[in-house]
Amino acid sequence: MAHGRLRVLLGAAPGVGKTYAMLEEGHRLRGAGVDVVVAVVETHGRRATADMVDDLETVSRMHVEHRGIRLDELDLEAVLDRAPTVALVDELAHTNAPGTRHAKRWEDVEELLAAGIDVISTVNIQHIASLNDVVQQITGVPQRETIPDAVLRRADQIEVVDLSPQALRDRLSAGVVYPAERIDAALSNYFRLGNLTALRELALLWLADEVDSALKRYRAEHGIDAKWEARERVVVALTGGTEGETLLRRGARIAARASGGALIAVHVVSQDGLRSPHPETLTAQRALVEQLGGSYHQVVGDDVPRALVDFARASDATQLVIGVSRRSRLTALLTGPGIGQTVIRGSGDIDVHIVSHSQAGGGFALPRPTGGLTVRRRIAGFIVALVAGPLLTALLASTHTPESLASDVLSYQLVVVVVALVGGFWPAMFAAVLSGLSLDFFLVAPLYRITISEPHHLLALALFMVVAALVSYVVDQAARRTRKAARSAAESELLATVAGSVLRGDDAIQALVSRTREAFTLLATRLVEDGEVIATDGPVAGHDADTPSQSMPVTDTAVLELYGRDLQADDRRLLAAIVGQLAVALEHRELVETADRIQPLARADRVRSALLAAVGHDLRRPLAAATAAVTSLRSAGIRLTDADRAELLDTAEGSLDALAGLVDNLLDVSRLQAGVLGVSLADVDLDGVVPVVLDELGLAPGSVQLDLSETVGAVRADAVLLQRALVNLVANAVRFSPDGHPPRIATSAFGGAAQVRVIDSGPGIPADRLDDVFVPFQRLGDTDNLTGVGLGLALSKGFVEGMGGSLDPEDTPGGGLTMVISVPLAQEAEAVTPRASEVPE
């Protein structure tokens, strides 16, 4: 049996028209004579979607009972028995009710596909597993129903049902997506213009990535190695030199000219593990790549041209940008073709751009003869030459024969090599001249005269000089590499120490300033921003604070001042890296301060949005009921019996009471947010508060079990606020307790505080949602919109903490939730009433 084909319609957000597009395709296929059935469609009350379903054959759903609630699910067996050519299955990421064959709807779809049935389905971008956390960061709304990326990528066809963000908001405002009471809250929260724009971009990028992966799979399956210019991919080769910025900007312009072009930067690191000579330059260029919208990569390889070409081919690059060689013409003539020419020969069908820059064609210069060795080693080299030369001459002069001249020459050459290994260039040159003169004066006839009668004597002296130069060059390079490796290790250790200080909780800016002074053995360091000292280390007092030894700009407004010795060039290179870290730390501090300033505004905005939603929906319901009851009572055209009239009066009275309570709660939460809750502390007897709470809730005897300890005396609390907090907690416990398992109220004393436990055996709350129960306008577990606006627990926590107590959730053994109120005992409490400003939010 042939495997069915899966076609998925992907949307950026609810309401873009995925289900409608799926049903339109069903109508088109039916018109073409294809056997199409609707396996399951979620209309969400949208009339246009329901009208599209009416004209298509629909398979009846399966009814599942779960916790007393009837749920309608996809009837997999019925669809398999019907065996259509195409089945329309809405909401691929849907979670099935317990008791069905599969936990997820996409598993049902896989069984349909295995049976040879083609499936057309829908899914939103927020349900893709790899993007779930990204969507939550954008919208602030967690999504629990997800579908693995691998399942979606196995689809034979994925299409984005696209709709501009403003058009979707217009549809929402017109009532096409949600009913009227949910419109304001949706527009103010999930369906903000910025959220929708980001989700739309996320959906398009995910599909673009899937298309790119599909293209790579096709090329791999068909053995296609040639370049396919589906879109431009520009690879820029960075050496770590200052010309990198020029190359990056040129590469970015090339990529920008091609719509959808990608910019990729690569730096080849040698396998010896040594760092780039200018790490701070490479760090800045990496940041520039990210600003230009590209990606940065590092590869390891000693053959730079080959590594570049291999990377470009692996990246499907269409163009490769490299800089003009910095070698002079003489160097190029002596050493052969450089990296550029080698890359061009090996690039094949990849276009290579060689970009000129200010560092091109730099002059050839040997490293400084003494640059890699210390002064002590150079002095030791001269000493070895002065001691070993005369000693060798005396030894050779006493044993010299005409036949031993060759061995004498080699002996002097050995001395030159030893001196070069010890002291480098200048001691080796001195030893070479000294050896040549000694050889001619003491061992070559005529003796004791310096004469060059034979050309080969001059050649011998020249060879001494060449050997000395070559050996000293090798020694100098080895010393340079050793010092560079040691320097790199020291830099890495310093940066690791700084990172460790930050990870241990130290202030990042202070840690960087302190480690700078320690690393460079300075007297003092300090960071100044806009004339204000941000961080300091060491005794700046005693120095001229206005004239530091040297300073390094960190940002446009911040400067790092250094007091003490002058830093060398290598020190300044490392200092530049530390300054870069300081700039990042300052930017992070500024972002944190900005976030702290915005957080209260964000909380106020969330409260405002929720208040608007409550006023638009939750207040409207009791108001509408009371209005309808009063209107019926006043209507002259309706004849009412006494029972009808009493029932309408009860309805009006109950609705107005609910409305008054709701308004009181809204005012209370506003006072809590503003920090102006009035608290009046006094000695309160818990045994007297609990019965009042039960009477206020109208609970029958036995509906709540009481376990009140006789050892708990009076507590220091506000009787009214404590009662209101308990009313909210007990009402929640009663609502969620299953039949036959009434909630329980228990009191006890512990550690100078009285604890009141409200215990239920209901469904409980997941551990990761415990903190959410105290957030205003959260109704965890309530989806019927008939239980208020989700302020009860938030108010209870505010009331209890306003009295100097605490309210904490715990798991009930065996299942359920226990809310624990802790308030000070009267004899332990301080006789100070907290001010309004001390009441926490």
Side-chain angles (χ1 to χ4, degrees):
M1 179 183 297
H3 194 275
R5 294 177 57 83
L6 174 61
R7 177 181 174 186
V8 178
L9 304 179
L10 176 65
V16 296
K18 303 179 304 301
T19 304
Y20 194 89
M22 178 184 70
L23 294 171
E24 277 189 328
E25 181 64 11
H27 280 279
R28 188 191 68 80
L29 292 173
R30 191 190 64 173
V34 178
D35 183 16
V36 181
V37 300
V38 175
V40 61
V41 164
E42 308 291 350
T43 64
H44 299 290
R46 298 165 190 164
R47 181 177 298 277
T49 304
D51 292 341
M52 291 289 289
V53 176
D54 291 341
D55 296 334
L56 294 172
E57 180 184 348
T58 303
V59 177
S60 299
R61 295 199 193 187
M62 176 176 57
H63 305 305
V64 180
E65 291 288 337
H66 178 62
R67 291 184 177 178
I69 301 175
R70 172 176 166 173
L71 301 174
D72 295 335
E73 296 291 354
L74 167 67
D75 193 337
L76 181 59
E77 285 296 338
V79 178
L80 291 172
D81 292 340
R82 172 62 176 75
T85 304
V86 178
L88 307 182
V89 181
D90 203 9
E91 296 188 0
L92 190 60
H94 173 77
T95 300
N96 293 332
T100 55
R101 183 183 303 185
H102 300 297
K104 293 286 187 177
R105 185 168 289 171
W106 60 264
E107 295 175 306
D108 296 335
V109 168
E110 288 194 334
E111 188 167 344
L112 293 176
L113 296 173
I117 301 173
D118 294 343
V119 175
I120 303 177
S121 189
T122 65
V123 73
N124 280 330
I125 193 70
Q126 69 262 27
H127 297 301
I128 299 178
S130 65
L131 301 178
N132 184 260
D133 57 338
V134 179
V135 175
Q136 182 174 351
Q137 291 175 3
I138 294 172
T139 64
V141 178
Q143 298 290 337
R144 286 180 169 73
E145 291 187 331
T146 60
I147 179 173
D149 289 50
V151 174
L152 194 56
R153 293 184 187 278
R154 287 199 297 267
D156 300 279
Q157 187 175 348
I158 303 176
E159 304 173 17
V160 170
V161 178
D162 192 25
L163 190 65
S164 70
Q166 188 57 54
L168 179 54
R169 285 174 60 86
D170 292 342
R171 293 190 64 193
L172 193 68
S173 300
V176 177
V177 180
Y178 290 140
E181 62 270 13
R182 297 178 59 188
I183 292 176
D184 291 338
L187 288 173
S188 301
N189 294 281
Y190 192 91
F191 287 84
R192 292 179 179 176
L193 189 61
N195 291 357
L196 296 178
T197 303
L199 293 175
R200 185 190 190 196
E201 181 181 19
L202 199 61
L204 295 174
L205 287 175
W206 189 91
L207 185 62
D209 179 66
E210 171 60 22
V211 172
D212 188 57
S213 300
L215 180 60
K216 288 182 178 179
R217 288 196 301 269
Y218 178 84
R219 294 180 61 187
E221 292 170 357
H222 292 77
I224 301 173
D225 297 326
K227 177 182 65 176
W228 279 17
E229 297 186 7
R231 64 169 173 161
E232 295 287 350
R233 288 183 173 85
V234 182
V235 173
V236 178
L238 300 178
T239 64
T242 56
E243 75 280 0
E245 181 176 348
T246 302
L247 303 183
L248 285 172
R249 296 192 184 279
R250 177 62 63 84
R253 290 196 294 271
I254 294 173
R257 285 197 293 267
S259 179
L263 176 65
I264 306 170
V266 59
H267 173 63
V268 180
V269 182
S270 62
Q271 293 182 354
D272 58 11
L274 295 178
R275 298 177 57 187
S276 165
H278 303 288
E280 68 281 1
T281 303
L282 202 59
T283 300
Q285 291 170 5
R286 180 171 186 170
L288 178 60
V289 172
E290 295 174 354
Q291 292 176 8
L292 296 174
S295 59
Y296 176 86
H297 305 268
Q298 280 194 175
V299 296
V300 178
D302 284 335
D303 190 346
V304 175
R306 187 178 191 86
L308 283 177
V309 172
D310 290 345
F311 176 83
R313 291 192 182 282
S315 303
D316 289 331
T318 58
Q319 305 194 50
L320 180 60
V321 178
I322 60 177
V324 172
S325 174
R326 287 178 286 186
R327 304 181 305 160
S328 65
R329 294 182 179 178
L330 176 60
T331 306
L333 181 63
L334 294 175
T335 59
I339 293 177
Q341 295 299 321
T342 308
V343 167
I344 291 174
R345 286 200 296 267
S347 63
D349 53 2
I350 300 176
D351 297 336
V352 179
H353 299 263
I354 299 182
V355 179
S356 181
H357 52 83
S358 59
Q359 301 296 320
F364 174 78
L366 286 173
R368 289 181 300 154
T370 60
L373 301 176
T374 63
V375 175
R376 181 176 297 179
R377 284 191 61 177
R378 295 198 296 273
I379 294 175
F382 280 111
I383 292 174
V384 171
L386 290 172
V387 173
L391 289 177
L392 179 63
T393 300
L395 176 64
L396 294 178
S398 63
T399 60
H400 175 70
T401 62
E403 292 79 12
S404 65
L405 182 61
S407 62
D408 296 341
V409 172
L410 291 175
S411 298
Y412 278 110
Q413 186 171 340
L414 177 62
V415 170
V416 172
V417 171
V418 171
V419 172
L421 291 173
V422 173
F425 184 80
W426 290 119
M429 291 293 101
F430 173 74
V433 174
L434 182 63
S435 298
L437 295 178
S438 298
L439 179 65
D440 185 71
F441 187 82
F442 291 104
L443 301 178
V444 177
L447 298 179
Y448 312 118
R449 292 170 55 188
I450 298 178
T451 58
I452 301 177
S453 57
E454 298 292 338
H456 64 270
H457 293 169
L458 183 62
L459 178 61
L461 180 61
L463 289 175
F464 279 155
M465 304 288 286
V466 170
V467 169
L470 292 177
V471 174
S472 63
Y473 176 77
V474 172
V475 172
D476 181 78
Q477 289 298 309
R480 284 175 181 273
R481 287 180 177 266
T482 301
R483 291 181 62 188
K484 188 183 297 183
R487 181 74 180 188
S488 298
E491 292 175 2
S492 300
E493 183 178 358
L494 172 61
L495 296 177
T497 302
V498 173
S501 300
V502 176
L503 290 174
R504 287 191 300 271
D506 297 348
D507 179 75
I509 296 176
Q510 182 62 50
L512 286 166
V513 172
S514 300
R515 297 304 179 272
T516 301
R517 184 185 68 82
E518 295 172 1
F520 301 116
T521 61
L522 298 170
L523 298 176
T525 54
R526 73 176 186 178
L527 180 65
V528 180
E529 185 177 24
D530 289 331
E532 178 185 355
V533 177
I534 302 300
T536 183
D537 189 72
V540 177
H543 306 286
D544 188 353
D546 294 331
T547 57
S549 304
Q550 49 200 318
S551 60
M552 288 282 290
V554 179
T555 64
D556 294 339
T557 58
V559 176
L560 178 64
E561 297 179 348
L562 311 174
Y563 298 86
R565 67 181 182 88
D566 291 333
L567 300 184
Q568 303 299 319
D570 287 345
D571 294 333
R572 288 182 174 275
R573 180 168 59 84
L574 177 57
L575 181 61
I578 296 177
V579 166
Q581 295 295 324
L582 267 174
V584 173
L586 286 173
E587 182 181 3
H588 181 265
R589 186 195 65 168
E590 183 179 354
L591 291 174
V592 170
E593 291 176 351
T594 302
D596 290 340
R597 290 194 301 268
I598 292 176
Q599 188 173 5
L601 299 177
R603 285 199 300 266
D605 181 67
R606 287 196 296 269
V607 173
R608 179 189 60 81
S609 300
L611 283 172
L612 290 175
V615 171
H617 174 257
D618 295 275
L619 293 180
R620 184 182 301 170
R621 187 177 58 250
L623 184 61
T627 302
V630 173
T631 301
S632 299
L633 288 169
R634 296 188 59 185
S635 176
I638 301 177
R639 300 182 62 182
L640 299 174
T641 64
D642 292 340
D644 293 336
R645 190 178 301 275
E647 183 179 354
L648 288 174
L649 288 173
D650 289 341
T651 300
E653 183 180 8
S655 298
L656 291 175
D657 287 342
L659 185 61
L662 194 54
V663 171
D664 288 340
N665 284 340
L666 292 174
L667 292 176
D668 284 336
V669 79
S670 300
R671 294 189 189 101
L672 286 173
Q673 293 288 339
V676 293
L677 179 67
V679 180
S680 178
L681 296 181
D683 292 349
V684 178
D685 186 4
L686 284 179
D687 290 343
V689 172
V690 174
V692 175
V693 170
L694 300 181
D695 288 342
E696 181 175 341
L697 292 173
L699 297 176
S703 58
V704 175
Q705 295 179 358
L706 300 180
D707 185 9
L708 305 181
S709 174
E710 297 180 356
T711 61
V712 178
V715 298
R716 194 70 173 172
D718 185 312
V720 175
L721 296 182
L722 180 60
Q723 178 181 329
R724 294 189 61 187
L726 281 172
V727 165
N728 289 329
L729 298 180
V730 174
N732 278 342
V734 171
R735 182 182 309 123
F736 291 107
S737 294
D739 294 340
H741 296 81
R744 185 162 59 95
I745 301 176
T747 60
S748 61
F750 179 76
Q755 293 185 339
V756 183
R757 296 177 178 270
V758 181
I759 307 165
D760 69 61
S761 302
I765 297 176
D768 59 342
R769 300 297 307 278
L770 284 177
D771 292 337
D772 295 340
V773 298
F774 298 118
V775 178
F777 306 102
Q778 297 289 321
R779 292 184 294 193
L780 304 181
D782 282 338
T783 58
D784 56 1
N785 292 330
L786 297 175
T787 53
V789 291
L791 292 177
L793 292 179
L795 287 172
S796 297
K797 188 175 183 66
F799 293 157
V800 174
E801 291 182 349
M803 296 182 292
S806 63
L807 175 61
D808 301 294
E810 296 179 356
D811 290 332
T812 301
L817 180 68
T818 298
M819 303 300 292
V820 183
I821 293 179
S822 296
V823 289
L825 290 170
Q827 62 270 25
E828 300 289 342
E830 296 181 359
V832 178
T833 301
R835 298 187 303 271
S837 60
E838 295 175 343
V839 179
E841 297 182 3

